[in-house]
Amino acid sequence: MKIPQSMRTFCPRCKTHTDHAVSLYKAGKRRGAKKGERHQAERKKGYGGQKFPLQHNQAKVSKKQSLMLKCGECDYTLQRKGIRLKKAEVV
Ligand SMILES: [Zn+2]
């Protein structure tokens, strides 16, 4: 699905419709030194270390894509609810 680079929508901070720059949500980089990563590494140590079941047979063939909308006037960023798409690109 092709998504336009900008759209005019409601900004909750300006309390009116303004032009927003559109981008796709991307998860942040995993950092090995962070608390959660350290704790998970500690839990996984030794015999029988995996503490929750890992899903191997995925039923879904698409990923949920969320849009990040940045207000052109106040730089407030809001996130749109994700929809299932095989491919999304901002054009
Ligand atoms: Zn705004």
Side-chain angles (χ1 to χ4, degrees), residues 20-61:
H20 285 70
V22 179
S23 60
L24 289 171
Y25 168 80
K26 221 177 129 193
K29 192 180 176 187
R30 302 293 288 265
R31 290 176 198 278
K34 290 292 181 184
K35 188 180 174 188
E37 294 283 336
R38 294 200 308 267
H39 283 206
Q40 177 63 3
E42 195 61 36
R43 280 197 294 267
K44 283 193 75 162
K45 261 186 191 170
Y47 178 74
Q50 182 60 35
K51 297 298 180 193
F52 53 88
L54 290 176
Q55 191 173 6
H56 296 294
N57 308 318
Q58 306 284 347
K60 304 265 191 291
V61 293

Side-chain angles (χ1 to χ4, degrees), residues 2-35:
K2 287 181 177 164
I3 299 153
Q5 274 181 339
S6 71
M7 64 169 78
R8 194 169 168 79
T9 189
F10 185 79
C11 171
R13 196 190 269 175
C14 300
K15 293 192 170 78
T16 181
H17 275 61
T18 55
D19 283 319
H20 285 70
V22 179
S23 60
L24 289 171
Y25 168 80
K26 221 177 129 193
K29 192 180 176 187
R30 302 293 288 265
R31 290 176 198 278
K34 290 292 181 184
K35 188 180 174 188

